[in-house]
Amino acid sequence: MSDLRGLWRGRERYTVFFSDHNDSEIAGLQAAWRADSERSARLHIVAIAPHLQPGSHRIPQTDPRLTLTLLSAPIDTALVQLGAQPDAVFLGVVAGGDFVRPLARIVAAGARLFAASLTEEQRAALQAQGFVFEGEAGHAVFASRKPRLPLPPTPERRAIVLGAGLAGSSACASLCARGWDVTLVERHALPAMEASGNLAGIFMPLLSRDDNIPTRLTRAAYLYALRAWEGLGGIGGAIEGAACGVLQLARDAEHAAVSRAIAAEGRLPPEFARWLEAPEAEALLGLRAPDGGWLFPQGGWARPGSVCAAMLDACGTRLTRRFGVGSVQLERVEGEWLARAEDGSAVAQAPTVVVANGVGARSLAQSSDLPLSSLRGQVTHLDSASLPALPLVLCREAYLTPASGGIACAGATYDLDGDPMLRAASQQENIDRLRSLVSDPQAAQGAPLAGRVGFRCVAPDRLPLVGPLPDFAAAGATERLRDVPRHPGLFALLGYASRGLIWAPLAAELLAAGLEGEPLPLEMALVDALEPARFVLRARRSSRMPLPTMD
């Protein structure tokens, strides 16, 4: 492999793209970077790895100055969806020339190309796009004068994070790992006191026949969370919970037929998801499973508060905690944001703010126009003696966890009201669903009213909001996402609904990568789908729709 030491020296960031994933080459490049006393401040590696499940895979590194992103897609598709500007490209044997234009669109000015083998047609196509070759070897420099998308400047690494639930704790962990000094502002005296305060959250992927955006996002987030949690001490270690597996029962025979069709395509590794027909599911569960179900062997449950604690502990001395401050408002003062308490006192000040306080974002002037809803969720806590013993998490329309400390969790409801108190009707709804799950009409008979109420923050399309906050008032006639005006230095991690446990780590990684000018850990189609500014464009389109006429 060519020596990059003369190319990355003195740089803040340097990005390398490999058309073929090779562990030894990547390890060698990282070792050469570490050994160079004049290395770039950060090294980012992107490689195509077709053996993985489709999409992007951010692989956590022990050194936070390094990132590794693996893409499972044909090279032309991967380049179109890649949110990065490679400074060096190592090109193996590639068929055809469809990759040339997408490569030329994203490489940095002056990028170096090292090609192992090129056809005459590929060489000519690369030359036509601005690559200038050096002799007969497959080495070239990108000399096109076409404008490049600007990378963000090196940030001043100081931030305020609002909210100490899963969203805010993940943001703190991702930013502090990159050398940011973060002030975490929380209205309660402790972290994870709102929607992240339940005894148990379920982690499992999502499947669909068409592999749609929610499925792709949840798969990427689930796989990233599993890797990230290992770095924090693991489920059952530093994180309270169990990677015991999840069995998702088919709703009915029609749902089972669709599931069989997905399984028959053979795209899902068995360690990720495995379809079980009724006899196998019942043997595993020890209960009836008349239509079969999906087994997610790496899934399970975790106490969200312990995940928050592990992430905040990993921040070390770079994190300052300002808890018990009540509600705050944001004020722009001389290029920085000031968080003020209700009594007018200053709580924190920084050039960057991450709004990660769930439904609390609706009370901030800068985010009040976002169409966020609050959905009430009541979880029921049950004495394990009143239920069948479960070897894993069981779910369908609802879920039931294995007992921990003598308590099993069942739920959760989706209510439109704001009642914070436990109520019998919601308890009965949860019990009715769990009885259907375990096929026992007497399960949880006479259970006392016990549990917890939380409020999920939900967007109209049920996708999270990750990125810079739009300025609705200044949007005018904006038609494109990239042209939507933003509040400077203000970012959102919101709308996690009931999937915050697995969405939060990857969403925070996406936000931090954008702030740092790193390769993004998701395909651009997913990045755009999560953009908070999408609601500015949707509001404009709705306002232009003609009103229905009355006969």
Side-chain angles (χ1 to χ4, degrees):
M1 185 170 60
S2 297
D3 190 347
L4 299 179
R5 286 177 295 182
L7 301 174
W8 64 39
R9 286 178 176 170
R11 301 278 296 273
E12 171 63 26
R13 50 175 86 90
Y14 197 81
T15 301
V16 182
F17 175 84
F18 289 91
S19 68
D20 301 294
H21 172 244
N22 183 298
D23 282 331
S24 62
E25 283 190 348
I26 289 172
L29 179 60
Q30 291 178 333
W33 177 83
R34 290 191 188 95
D36 186 358
S37 60
E38 300 180 79
R39 61 183 174 261
S40 58
R42 293 154 197 268
L43 176 66
H44 309 300
I45 299 175
V46 181
I48 293 182
H51 62 285
L52 298 175
Q53 292 193 67
S56 297
H57 300 255
R58 178 59 65 89
I59 311 299
Q61 304 293 293
T62 55
D63 187 336
R65 299 170 299 173
L66 296 168
T67 64
L68 175 60
T69 308
L70 304 181
L71 310 174
S72 182
I75 184 170
D76 51 323
T77 303
L79 291 170
V80 167
Q81 291 295 325
L82 178 59
Q85 286 190 22
D87 300 291
V89 175
F90 289 89
L91 195 64
V93 178
V94 179
D98 290 344
F99 70 92
V100 174
R101 284 181 180 274
L103 178 64
R105 277 198 292 268
I106 66 168
V107 291
R112 306 294 299 219
L113 173 69
F114 305 95
S117 176
L118 291 173
T119 66
E120 287 301 320
E121 290 78 11
Q122 288 172 333
R123 188 182 179 97
L126 287 162
Q127 288 175 323
Q129 290 297 317
F131 287 91
V132 177
F133 283 85
E134 302 166 341
E136 294 302 315
H139 294 184
V141 61
F142 185 68
S144 171
R145 295 188 178 183
K146 291 182 179 178
R148 306 284 89 186
L149 287 175
L151 284 172
T154 302
E156 184 179 352
R157 297 186 173 99
R158 292 188 297 116
I160 300 168
V161 173
L162 301 183
L166 287 164
S169 299
S170 297
C172 292
S174 288
L175 291 173
C176 288
R178 289 165 169 83
W180 288 59
D181 293 314
V182 178
T183 301
L184 176 58
V185 177
E186 167 57 51
R187 71 186 187 95
H188 294 289
L190 296 170
M193 295 297 289
E194 294 283 347
S196 300
N198 289 343
L199 289 182
I202 309 308
F203 56 93
M204 56 181 280
L206 182 66
L207 303 179
S208 64
R209 188 75 183 272
D210 60 352
D211 202 33
N212 55 36
I213 282 177
T215 300
R216 290 157 56 195
L217 169 65
T218 304
R219 176 174 63 237
Y222 171 73
L223 293 172
Y224 179 76
L226 295 181
R227 298 177 183 121
W229 293 338
E230 281 300 311
L232 294 173
I235 302 292
I239 297 172
E240 182 183 338
C244 52
V246 176
L247 181 62
Q248 182 183 29
L249 298 178
R251 293 188 298 272
D252 49 34
E254 183 179 353
H255 184 211
V258 172
S259 298
R260 287 189 195 97
I262 294 173
E265 293 172 357
R267 295 183 289 109
L268 301 173
E271 68 274 13
F272 179 78
R274 188 158 61 93
W275 171 252
L276 305 182
E277 292 294 351
E280 192 176 2
E282 290 173 351
L284 173 66
L285 186 59
L287 298 169
R288 291 190 66 233
D291 294 302
W294 282 106
L295 173 64
F296 303 110
Q298 297 167 302
W301 69 273
R303 184 171 66 83
S306 71
V307 179
C308 294
M311 290 188 291
L312 296 180
D313 287 346
C315 295
T317 58
R318 291 200 173 276
L319 181 66
T320 300
R321 308 183 192 210
R322 296 275 188 264
F323 285 10
V325 300
S327 298
V328 299
Q329 291 296 323
L330 295 174
E331 178 184 339
R332 188 79 172 162
V333 178
E334 296 182 356
E336 294 201 342
W337 289 100
L338 189 66
R340 290 194 185 277
E342 290 177 301
D343 63 3
S345 62
V347 176
Q349 185 169 344
T352 298
V353 175
V354 179
V355 179
N357 56 347
V359 295
R362 299 189 302 180
S363 65
L364 292 172
Q366 296 81 8
S367 52
S368 61
D369 287 326
L370 294 172
L372 299 173
S373 300
S374 174
L375 285 182
R376 179 183 183 276
Q378 180 171 317
V379 178
T380 298
H381 298 164
L382 298 162
D383 186 335
S384 59
S386 68
L387 299 166
L390 294 180
L392 40 58
V393 176
L394 185 61
C395 66
R396 193 164 50 205
E397 289 88 355
Y399 66 82
L400 179 62
T401 66
S404 177
I407 296 176
C409 297
T413 61
Y414 282 81
D415 307 316
L416 298 178
D417 62 276
D419 182 7
M421 305 301 294
L422 291 170
R423 61 188 183 211
S426 295
Q427 161 123 331
Q428 191 59 51
E429 180 181 338
N430 286 335
I431 290 176
D432 289 344
R433 287 178 174 173
L434 82 86
R435 286 173 176 170
S436 176
L437 270 178
V438 301
S439 300
D440 181 359
Q442 302 303 315
Q445 189 72 36
L449 181 61
R452 187 177 187 279
V453 174
F455 292 89
R456 312 172 186 91
C457 178
V458 182
D461 56 9
R462 297 298 193 269
L463 290 174
L465 285 70
V466 182
L469 270 172
D471 186 342
F472 278 78
T478 305
E479 296 286 350
R480 298 181 299 183
L481 270 176
R482 69 187 184 196
D483 295 332
V484 174
R486 316 298 174 116
H487 292 287
L490 200 56
F491 300 87
L493 290 174
L494 297 166
Y496 290 178
S498 56
R499 293 191 177 269
L501 189 60
I502 56 173
W503 279 356
L506 184 59
E509 186 72 4
L510 172 60
L511 180 59
L515 289 169
E516 287 282 350
E518 299 172 3
L520 301 182
L522 280 173
E523 310 97 284
M524 289 306 301
L526 294 181
V527 174
D528 289 347
L530 307 184
E531 258 275 11
R534 67 189 187 266
F535 295 111
V536 174
L537 303 188
R538 291 177 192 180
R540 281 189 46 73
R541 290 167 190 153
S542 297
S543 68
R544 290 198 302 264
M545 292 179 63
L547 295 173
T549 57
M550 302 294 291
D551 292 331

